[in-house]
Amino acid sequence: MNIDYPFQFDGRGRTAETVDADHIRDLIEQFIFTAAGERVNRPDFGSGILQMVFAPNSPELASALQHTIKSGLQRWMGDLINIQSLEVSRDGSKLQVVIRYTILRTSESHEDTLVMGGLS
């Protein structure tokens, strides 16, 4: 059973479930938007991207985050996915993370884009 993220109830009033591909995308999102030290039993889980809200947006920051996120995902999700590519780019006040990966169990390829900062 894969619990849907964010936690919610389905139409029957039970905990909402999701399919494997959506669950893995949820796990990636959780890793990227979790701050290191936020999880009690996993103090080194998380990318720290949210701590960069007030950091000056620069190519160096994007490069450092790219390395941090990729190595963290390989550590925490290496048994679930194979990362094909991961790019962090900046656009004004936004940081954009584009990740291309293959789910090891099904060999399905996916591409997800996550954006932090800026005004919508």
Side-chain angles (χ1 to χ4, degrees):
M1 177 173 118
N2 296 322
I3 297 174
D4 199 9
Y5 173 82
F7 184 80
Q8 56 191 324
F9 297 102
D10 63 14
R12 301 172 297 170
R14 298 180 181 176
T15 300
E17 298 178 23
T18 189
V19 296
D20 285 342
D22 289 339
H23 180 65
I24 289 174
R25 194 230 184 257
D26 292 344
L27 293 173
I28 292 169
E29 184 177 343
Q30 288 175 38
F31 173 80
I32 289 175
F33 292 113
T34 297
E38 189 174 336
R39 293 216 174 159
V40 176
N41 293 324
R42 293 183 176 172
D44 51 348
F45 179 87
S47 71
I49 197 169
L50 293 178
Q51 296 170 333
M52 301 298 163
V53 171
F54 299 107
N57 197 350
S58 66
E60 294 80 14
L61 174 66
S63 178
L65 281 172
Q66 184 171 325
H67 175 73
T68 302
I69 293 170
K70 187 172 183 177
S71 63
L73 284 172
Q74 287 173 335
R75 175 179 179 205
W76 291 103
M77 298 187 64
D79 58 333
L80 298 174
I81 62 172
N82 180 23
I83 299 171
Q84 306 301 316
S85 67
L86 188 135
E87 300 167 12
V88 177
S89 59
R90 63 181 183 90
D91 179 22
S93 62
K94 293 182 185 180
L95 276 174
Q96 178 174 298
V97 179
V98 178
I99 180 171
R100 291 173 197 85
Y101 59 95
T102 303
I103 298 175
L104 295 176
R105 188 168 149 210
T106 62
S107 298
E108 294 175 34
S109 293
H110 292 270
E111 179 177 317
D112 292 321
T113 301
L114 302 160
V115 178
M116 185 207 82
L119 300 173
S120 298

